[in-house]
Amino acid sequence: MANFDYDIAIIGGGAAGLTVASGSAQLGAKTLVIEKEKALGGDCLHHGCVPSKTLIKTAHVYHLMKSGPEFGLPTMELPPVDFRDISKRIQSVIDVIQKHDSVERFCQLGAKVEFGDPVFKDEHSITLGNKTVSARTWVIATGSSAAIPPIEGLDKTPYLTNRDIFNLDKLPSSMIIMGGGPIGIEMAQAFSRLGTKVTVIEGAPQILGQEDQDMAEIVQQTLEAEGVIFHINTSIVSTRDLGSEREVTVETAAGKTVRFRGETVLVALGRSPNVSGMGLENIDVEFDRRGIKVNQYLKTRHKHIYAAGDVNGGLQFTHVAGYEGGVVLSNAIFHLPKKTNYINVPWCTYTHPELSSIGMNEKRAKAASMEYSTWIEEFSASDRGLAEGENTGKIKLLLDSREKPLGIQILGAHAGELLGEWVAIMNAKVGLSKIAGAIHPYPTLGEINKKVVGSIYSQKLFSNTVRKGLKFFFNLKGRACTCEPETDCTKN
Ligand SMILES: Cc1cc2nc3c(=O)[nH]c(=O)nc-3n(C[C@H](O)[C@H](O)[C@H](O)COP(=O)(O)OP(=O)(O)OC[C@H]3O[C@@H](n4cnc5c(N)ncnc54)[C@H](O)[C@@H]3O)c2cc1C
């Protein structure tokens, strides 16, 4: 057997790469991680999930401070925010998590970390600076970057992406957000709440295109009520730098040309895989604009070269990158063949209210020509929702013909947390009667999970058939009160 420097080498020290590295090192494989930035952690820690959720929380607190009268409190006149302080808070959160993703920690686990720009020399070795490093197995986990489409004038117009948005010197007075996907929409609400005049431009007929339209519409209406301006079904034609302002020219669905001006432009038009500069063409690893092509075992054309995380163009979430890291470990270190399975992948868009989802929604079920029934429960009927002032949203449960859950979407406060129960139900294949019979604490928002299942059973339980059966067997006497058509019984 050839004598390689490492058993396994991973390019990219983000969610996918570090999952593989920590597992392989602890399992006794001689492991190398190569990272091109100055620190480990990847986009999620430095320019993605962590800074965005920290910013969202800050914006939520500021919004709450201004919402006193809704809670019976006095009105407060608040000074404008200083974005440098917000950036400091974001950085302080990153710094704490960074310790978990430090070179020292990975060294303790047994993995070596090198920083630099690796280039494949052949299928087993790379050059890194002036040295060559070889490994038996390679994992490409280089993530993705903001996609910058060829929009006329964009190359000459200053714009922001997720790499710059979290450490601005000042809060922009106005912002045009290109793209109504999760990143664009989360940032739209956060910046609007902090005091920026936000306009979102989306080419599709709805924002959050992966989600059911009725759910996405409530998110849009909520943001509109807070002051965000939306232009959906609107294509971006060109951009122009006007010095102190940027101009974005769009074409509406009706074919009208409209121009918008804003202090800043945020490009949130999807993601591009980080595939360039590694010499992938030298080793014939196949990729296109979506990402590196892999099979169900996450193997590229070469059975010892894997691609995991955003770079393979699949679902672009940190938890999916981590899951794929686990699949690579199973295949490359344990040699236990494991295929990927994305049926029960949950996700959440962290607007307020949040929109979380697992399994099929109506859009995907219709596209797959599946038969389903929907069961809905509104947060306006949640006692805790009312007490909290969190009564916007609903849960939507999709069942197949045998009443097995196909998928759940929750739109409401803490929807990401509320989905946890469904993650367990869907993965453990728990029967719905168990949820209907389980005692949930009162008053909690989580009761909505039991209520939506309860509505399926109560329809059957309180039916004429059951009533007739009980009357027959136990001689029940029936109704004690009957409402006349003209009487409003609810007033009694
Ligand atoms: C604004 C924003 C918010 C997000 N919020 C969420 C969220 O709330 N929840 C969620 O699940 N996901 C979220 N995501 C997505 C999440 O960040 C990604 O899915 C996740 O980081 C992917 O992990 P990865 O390991 O594939 O890539 P990364 O974590 O980005 O890691 C890739 C690493 O490879 C390095 N690299 C790149 N090229 C090279 C090279 N040539 N040589 C060496 N190293 C290289 C990079 O520097 C990086 O460190 C968000 C993304 C953004 C942009």
Side-chain angles (χ1 to χ4, degrees), residues 173-377:
S173 58
S174 56
M175 182 184 287
I176 299 169
I177 300 185
M178 295 180 174
I183 296 173
I185 296 303
E186 286 182 0
M187 291 303 99
Q189 189 177 42
F191 275 91
S192 166
R193 284 181 161 191
L194 291 170
T196 301
K197 184 170 169 280
V198 175
T199 304
V200 177
I201 299 166
E202 168 57 52
Q206 70 164 77
I207 61 163
L208 302 174
Q210 299 293 319
E211 312 290 349
D212 281 352
Q213 190 157 359
D214 57 331
M215 305 302 247
E217 264 171 16
I218 302 175
V219 175
Q220 182 176 332
Q221 285 156 10
T222 309
L223 268 63
E224 276 170 344
E226 291 183 14
V228 178
I229 298 161
F230 285 90
H231 294 276
I232 56 169
N233 251 330
T234 301
S235 327
I236 299 159
V237 177
S238 62
T239 66
R240 213 152 58 106
D241 184 15
L242 302 176
S244 59
E245 275 188 322
R246 329 286 164 222
E247 185 180 76
V248 178
T249 303
V250 302
E251 193 182 304
T252 66
K256 215 173 132 199
T257 300
V258 184
R259 290 187 175 80
F260 300 108
R261 287 185 181 178
E263 188 188 319
T264 45
V265 169
L266 171 66
V267 180
L269 292 165
R271 310 282 301 166
S272 288
N274 294 330
V275 286
S276 58
M278 280 180 284
L280 291 183
E281 44 298 322
N282 302 342
I283 54 165
D284 203 22
V285 162
E286 203 187 350
F287 61 88
D288 61 15
R289 63 179 187 83
R290 286 180 55 85
I292 295 179
K293 305 253 186 232
V294 288
N295 64 15
Q296 285 181 301
Y297 302 93
L298 297 176
K299 292 179 185 190
T300 63
R301 260 188 191 158
H302 306 287
K303 61 182 188 335
H304 69 285
I305 304 181
Y306 295 80
D310 281 12
V311 76
N312 68 28
L315 290 166
Q316 294 183 323
F317 299 106
T318 296
H319 44 283
V320 172
Y323 162 74
E324 291 185 349
V327 171
V328 170
L329 276 177
S330 180
N331 290 319
I333 305 296
F334 284 108
H335 297 276
L336 294 171
K338 186 169 176 174
K339 290 183 188 177
T340 49
N341 177 346
Y342 300 106
I343 286 178
N344 283 333
V345 173
W347 66 74
C348 185
T349 299
Y350 296 89
T351 42
H352 182 215
E354 295 178 357
L355 176 50
S356 66
S357 165
I358 184 169
M360 287 281 165
N361 61 14
E362 289 197 76
K363 203 177 247 185
R364 286 189 289 279
K366 277 183 190 144
S369 307
M370 293 171 93
E371 274 188 28
Y372 64 88
S373 60
T374 52
W375 298 83
I376 289 175
E377 203 59 43

Side-chain angles (χ1 to χ4, degrees), residues 11-17 34-37 39-45 47-50 52-53 116-118 141-144 162-163 166 183 186-187 271 274 276-278 308-311 315-321 348 350:
I11 304 182
I34 308 166
E35 170 54 52
K36 80 172 169 66
E37 298 288 341
L40 297 175
D43 242 26
C44 181
L45 176 57
H47 317 289
C49 333
V50 172
S52 63
K53 269 76 252 181
D117 291 297
T142 45
S144 64
N162 65 299
R163 283 190 77 93
F166 303 112
I183 296 173
E186 286 182 0
M187 291 303 99
R271 310 282 301 166
N274 294 330
S276 58
M278 280 180 284
D310 281 12
V311 76
L315 290 166
Q316 294 183 323
F317 299 106
T318 296
H319 44 283
V320 172
C348 185
Y350 296 89

